[in-house]
Amino acid sequence: MLVSGIYGEPSCQGAGPVAVAAVVPEPLRVLLERIEQGILDLARGADPREAMHALRSSLSDICALTEADPRTLQAVERVVSAGERLAEIEDTSLRSRAAAAARGAATRARKRLAAVLVGTRPSRIAMSLGRGW
């Protein structure tokens, strides 16, 4: 369900992935999918260094393609922090409470980022690249 955010722009509070995918610009949707894959890789016990590098790369691209909005930057920082916590966990089994909590936090942080990106305007970099906005 789309609701108005603090500044009157739509947000996807409580909306599922389909609703977010419908309103997030295409270049950002691709990056959100990469972020989700990075979180899954970390949860499955992939090499933390490589997985965090890929996660940070996608988040960096989001920052470059969007205007320097403090809400976006805060959401990006939350994803990085959650990813780092997930990368630090050595026992990634499904029964590990710490691993489950870290996976949940990373998933929530990615969903918050997706909600913040709804209606995001492109940066000058994105405009010059013509990235399908």
Side-chain angles (χ1 to χ4, degrees), residues 9-102:
E9 69 277 350
S11 70
C12 283
Q13 193 172 21
V18 174
V20 171
V23 292
V24 173
E26 178 63 28
L28 300 179
R29 273 185 273 173
V30 171
L31 292 169
L32 285 171
E33 289 170 9
R34 288 184 193 158
I35 290 168
E36 185 171 16
Q37 185 59 49
I39 291 170
L40 289 172
D41 289 346
L42 286 168
R44 291 180 185 138
D47 179 19
R49 183 176 175 167
E50 287 183 29
M52 281 305 299
H53 177 73
L55 190 67
R56 283 189 180 107
S57 176
S58 295
L59 291 166
S60 177
D61 289 349
I62 284 176
C63 290
L65 294 175
T66 60
E67 291 185 338
D69 177 18
R71 294 180 327 129
T72 302
L73 297 176
Q74 184 180 39
V76 164
E77 284 298 320
R78 284 184 182 143
V79 174
V80 169
S81 295
E84 287 174 346
R85 283 192 304 272
L86 189 56
E88 291 172 356
I89 294 176
E90 294 185 19
D91 179 16
T92 58
S93 71
L94 294 175
R95 295 185 180 170
S96 167
R97 290 181 71 138

